[in-house]
Amino acid sequence: MITRYDSNNRYSKAVVAGGFVFLAGLTAEDCSLGIEEQTASVLKQIDDYLERAGSSKEKMVSVNIWLTSMSYAGGMNKVWESWVAPGIVPARATVESKLATPDTLIEIMVQAII
């Protein structure tokens, strides 16, 4: 069985299948904010979608993070490290990339177990 959350004609924000939850790349709800605030916004969405799917941040297995500039890594990591469960961290990649809009500084995609 596959369960999809917040779907439109292009994608679903979250998909549950085979004991996993797959989150789409999530961006901040207000992209006029700085990197720390955008990161916190995305992490809150991750918490919300994981909870809806029956999972949690402690069950994340893989995370991909895109930043528009690696100069934002310090601010992002500050927020990430205060949010992630100590000692229960996923595999993670962080890369620099153009994102959907010039104001979008960060996008995060998560895979977790249920």
Side-chain angles (χ1 to χ4, degrees):
M1 180 161 114
I2 298 174
T3 304
R4 294 175 173 83
Y5 295 90
D6 297 339
S7 300
N8 61 31
N9 289 337
R10 292 187 181 171
Y11 70 100
S12 298
K13 293 276 185 121
V15 175
V16 176
F20 283 86
V21 56
F22 303 90
L23 300 187
L26 300 172
T27 59
E29 292 171 344
D30 181 354
C31 290
S32 69
L33 302 171
I35 188 60
E36 291 184 21
E37 295 83 6
Q38 285 195 34
T39 301
S41 173
V42 175
L43 296 178
K44 181 180 180 332
Q45 291 177 67
I46 290 169
D47 278 333
D48 293 345
Y49 278 110
L50 290 176
E51 181 179 345
R52 285 175 65 188
S55 188
S56 67
K57 65 185 170 189
E58 292 81 9
K59 295 181 178 181
M60 295 185 302
V61 294
S62 181
V63 173
N64 294 345
I65 301 173
W66 293 271
L67 298 170
T68 55
S69 171
M70 289 308 290
S71 68
Y72 295 133
M76 177 274 297
N77 279 323
K78 178 181 171 186
V79 178
W80 171 268
E81 290 166 5
S82 70
W83 172 81
V84 74
I88 309 174
V89 293
R92 190 184 104 170
T94 304
V95 299
E96 182 175 299
S97 178
K98 273 188 165 179
L99 297 177
T101 68
D103 293 339
T104 303
L105 305 179
I106 184 169
E107 184 169 342
I108 302 178
M109 187 169 76
V110 171
Q111 296 83 43
I113 60 171
I114 300 297

